[in-house]
Amino acid sequence: MEQISTDPDFMRHLTAFGPFDTRPSGRVSSWAPTPGETLGGHAARQVLRLCEAAGLSGSDSAEYARTLLTALGPVAERPLDLPPPYDSFLSDDHSPVEYSLAFTPDARPTLRVLLEPGCGAESLADNGRVGLRAVRAMARRWGFDTQRLDELEDLFFPPDPEGPLALWCALELLPGGVPKVKVYLNPAASGEERSVATVREALGRLGHGRAFASLPPSERPLFLALDLGDWEEPRAKVYLVHRDLRAPEAAGLSRTAGGPAQAEIARFFRTAAGHDVDGLGSPDGRDAPLDRRPGLSCHAFTETGTALPSGFTLHVPVRDYARHDGEALDRAVTLLRRHGMDPAPLVQALRAVTTRRPEDGVGLIAYLALVHQEGRPARVTVYISSEAYEVRPPAPAPRARAEAVH
Ligand code: TRP
């Protein structure tokens, strides 16, 4: 049996509420949230089990569970039977943690954790300050610099910021125990009406002066994300909101030079949104819009010599277009197989985060995304909710179907 940790603080989170089996093939023997369970205990155990699903070693898994607890700070101690620390926009039930698996053909998926270090703060301004402090502590610990973030501090951390977030960070949990770090910033910090100006200014400071002009039309920018640390080609990424998006428009959103095939994007969209039967198009021949929660695009800028983005991602919020997670999982499996990826780690990952059946709720799979980065094969990313606080009940019947009866 592998010894995962002797750190008393860490073990207290994990062992306070029942036996915990740390063998690589082991199962946590009691999973249902127990009275007195903490947010940190819940999330740390999910990470340990997800790491196993992603093929990470026991010592890497333990290291990453500890890293998550450190990043969450004092809210890790918060009992789960209290309400969430605040109405975080990070997830539907306001858990300050969300997972994702990034699949590539012929390799194990990479596990990532998105989290809000400042979720326990009293104000959005404090939330941002705590977030910055957490990222800088990571930078010291893993020896990377935060210069790209520091240069933007005045834009994204004004004294009296507006929502819907201050700072999130994502960790790519690679073998070796040292994650890659990304930060997500809020273009609406100085007011939603200033979002475009804020992103344009930020991109300019990062050396992407003409980048914003190359982006497709959208309702507004939602996030600016930065790769920090040891990346081959650190990216600045702009997430845009596209209300009432339909497959043909989604297919035309990419502004990358080589670009993914439009037919491939449209097909991904229809399958993820449940608009097709067997990939052949919508049952009634019309393309329905994403009218409950918008689709998102994300363009990545790496080359400062050119204004064109080198990466494009389409995010479909599958949870608002599926009755239950069984449906969402079927779509994810279809998409993974179509793109040459083994869906088994996804099934294992869902079991790692919850004991409920996929049919018994909706929202465990939050988004399905198609990722194109120049020079690499297409990737599929599946976002998995922590459901620390709530499971959304399954929907009775999809609206499209109810309408089709008339
Ligand atoms: N919860 C928000 C949303 O659903 C933000 C968010 C969390 C998000 N994880 C994401 C957006 C992954 C895109 C992809 O929009």
Side-chain angles (χ1 to χ4, degrees), residues 330-401:
D330 283 347
R331 294 181 202 166
V333 167
T334 301
L335 291 169
L336 288 168
R337 291 218 173 102
R338 186 184 295 163
H339 290 272
M341 298 151 193
D342 175 12
L346 173 60
V347 175
Q348 206 186 333
L350 297 183
R351 285 202 203 108
V353 294
T354 183
T355 51
R356 77 162 173 87
R357 296 183 317 154
E359 295 73 24
D360 291 342
V362 65
L364 183 61
I365 300 183
Y367 275 95
L368 296 173
L370 179 65
V371 187
H372 278 277
Q373 186 74 26
E374 233 154 56
R376 307 220 191 127
R379 294 189 325 202
V380 172
T381 304
V382 183
Y383 291 81
I384 302 172
S385 305
S386 172
E387 295 190 337
Y389 292 105
E390 220 172 277
V391 175
R392 199 203 296 180
R399 209 196 295 171
R401 189 168 298 181

Side-chain angles (χ1 to χ4, degrees), residues 89-92 98 114 168 222-223 239 293 296 315 319 367 383:
F89 172 58
L90 195 142
S91 64
D92 291 357
E98 182 185 76
L114 176 67
W168 295 344
L222 185 62
F223 310 122
Y239 288 74
R293 186 185 299 268
L296 304 175
H315 291 275
R319 65 195 185 280
Y367 275 95
Y383 291 81

Side-chain angles (χ1 to χ4, degrees), residues 36-191:
E37 167 79 296
T38 60
L39 177 59
H42 175 80
R45 273 188 280 190
Q46 287 179 323
V47 163
L48 283 169
R49 297 179 42 131
L50 283 165
C51 285
E52 189 184 323
L56 291 165
S57 72
S59 57
D60 284 351
S61 309
E63 186 64 26
Y64 285 139
R66 229 182 334 237
T67 294
L68 174 69
L69 291 173
T70 307
L72 282 175
V75 290
E77 308 274 350
R78 190 180 169 88
L80 265 193
D81 45 19
L82 291 181
Y86 92 116
D87 286 352
S88 173
F89 172 58
L90 195 142
S91 64
D92 291 357
D93 74 338
H94 311 303
S95 306
V97 181
E98 182 185 76
Y99 310 105
S100 57
L101 282 178
F103 289 83
T104 5
D106 308 321
R108 274 180 182 277
T110 304
L111 172 64
R112 299 102 55 93
V113 186
L114 176 67
L115 65 107
E116 180 162 10
C119 65
E122 291 292 319
S123 68
L124 199 61
D126 278 340
N127 183 318
R129 280 189 276 273
V130 173
L132 282 173
R133 221 180 300 137
V135 171
R136 287 178 178 139
M138 291 177 195
R140 282 192 300 276
R141 177 163 172 214
W142 294 309
F144 63 85
D145 78 70
T146 56
Q147 195 196 333
R148 279 153 53 86
L149 175 61
D150 302 343
E151 282 167 11
L152 308 180
E153 195 172 331
D154 60 310
L155 292 176
F156 292 95
F157 303 91
D160 200 7
E162 295 179 18
L165 76 151
L167 180 150
W168 295 344
C169 94
L171 306 174
E172 284 209 17
L173 307 185
L174 304 171
V178 178
K180 285 199 196 171
V181 179
K182 300 178 270 192
V183 290
Y184 294 77
L185 305 173
N186 168 25
S190 305

Side-chain angles (χ1 to χ4, degrees), residues 241-267:
V241 175
H242 304 280
R243 202 159 289 282
D244 293 329
L245 190 64
R246 295 169 199 262
E249 287 80 47
L253 286 175
S254 175
R255 294 296 185 269
T256 54
Q262 298 215 357
E264 187 185 333
I265 302 175
R267 200 163 172 228

Side-chain angles (χ1 to χ4, degrees), residues 12-27:
R12 186 163 41 80
H13 277 290
L14 300 183
T15 57
F17 310 106
F20 183 74
D21 187 345
T22 59
R23 282 168 301 182
S25 61
R27 287 274 165 263

